[in-house]
Amino acid sequence: TAGCPPERAELAIDAFATLHARFWGATDPRADFLTLVPDPFIDYLAGQFPGAEGALLGELTRRVWRHDSLPPTTVLHGDARVGNMLFPADADGQFVFIDWQAARLGKGAFDVAYFLTLSMTPEHRRSHGDALLARYHGGLVSGGVTDYGLAELQRDYQLAAALVLAFVSLPMMSAESSATGANAADLRVLAEVWTRRMVALAEDLDVASIAAEVGMEPDALRAALGQKQKVPGP
């Protein structure tokens, strides 16, 4: 619950860049068994938002998830949080991703946004996120990705962050609600931590740029996401 410290986050970011660069464009035959998320599942998920803002949030989910399927895509871990990572004990050790059951094709920015949101405290994400995103981009370039600029990554990151917000905020964790005893208590703590981090993410989203990219009305999205209107200074 303390969050991944920035120096360890750098190891994860480097591993994302290595993975994503290797499969950039999803042309490697080893990725042939993975698929994009199908539209019927996206539509089902988008229809699960309750309340007066449900239809608007559902439409946002559809649009940002379909952006996730646009090229360039790569192999994603899909559940890239600190609990699914093994960090080296010393400088000679190796970083390893585990638990690949959610692997899929999509935008590399999704793994990065998912990790930064769920695995770092909001304070660390806010103070180190830009540098980590630039580090990830540098890793892609070092891995041979030369046709994807930092500005494009920053745009994709905002859209991916909105997708993470939708994906995690929905009752996707309800499948684990049958846990009992210590497991149930641990899950409640985890849910509380993730809720705080998701609220902070909703506060930080660049709604104007997201709305422009997906063709939606920014003030309505701000209201649906609970963002307060920023009043210009004197």
Side-chain angles (χ1 to χ4, degrees):
T1 60
C4 182
E7 61 273 14
R8 291 208 165 207
E10 290 181 350
L11 295 175
I13 290 295
D14 291 346
F16 288 138
T18 299
L19 169 67
H20 296 161
R22 180 179 302 165
F23 294 98
W24 197 257
T27 57
D28 191 306
R30 290 172 295 179
D32 285 350
F33 72 99
L34 294 173
T35 61
L36 297 165
V37 176
D39 283 353
F41 177 74
I42 296 172
D43 289 335
Y44 167 77
L45 194 66
Q48 302 306 301
F49 283 98
E53 307 294 348
L56 186 63
L57 292 173
E59 186 58 26
L60 174 64
T61 301
R62 289 184 184 91
R63 296 190 188 196
V64 294
W65 210 326
R66 284 170 184 146
H67 177 81
D68 183 76
S69 69
L70 298 176
T73 58
T74 187
V75 171
L76 304 184
H77 180 279
D79 190 15
R81 52 190 170 86
V82 70
N84 289 332
M85 302 172 181
L86 300 179
F87 290 87
D90 53 51
D92 297 324
Q94 184 177 6
F95 177 96
V96 177
F97 289 117
I98 61 173
D99 192 359
W100 286 84
Q101 65 184 0
R104 63 178 179 86
L105 298 181
K107 294 279 192 187
F110 177 86
D111 270 349
V112 178
Y114 191 95
F115 169 74
L116 295 182
T117 300
L118 295 184
S119 297
M120 299 188 78
T121 65
E123 294 74 23
H124 278 157
R125 174 178 56 77
R126 288 163 174 161
S127 59
H128 296 275
D130 288 345
L132 290 170
L133 200 61
R135 184 184 183 99
Y136 169 73
H137 183 260
L140 290 179
V141 173
S142 297
V145 178
T146 59
D147 57 350
Y148 187 66
L150 179 58
E152 188 174 0
L153 169 61
Q154 291 168 335
R155 178 204 65 185
D156 286 346
Y157 176 81
Q158 280 295 320
L159 294 166
L163 177 54
V164 169
L165 182 64
F167 184 80
V168 181
S169 296
L170 286 165
M172 294 292 288
M173 291 181 288
S174 62
E176 300 176 4
S177 63
S178 58
T180 58
N183 287 338
D186 290 343
L187 286 172
R188 281 195 296 272
V189 171
L190 180 62
E192 290 171 1
V193 170
W194 280 10
T195 297
R196 289 194 296 271
R197 293 175 184 175
M198 299 306 287
V199 168
L201 177 63
E203 294 171 349
D204 296 341
L205 287 177
D206 184 350
V207 173
S209 67
I210 292 170
E213 287 290 341
V214 299
M216 298 184 72
E217 207 285 316
D219 287 343
L221 281 182
R222 286 191 185 95
L225 293 168
Q227 283 194 357
K228 296 179 180 178
Q229 285 282 14
K230 295 180 175 64
V231 179

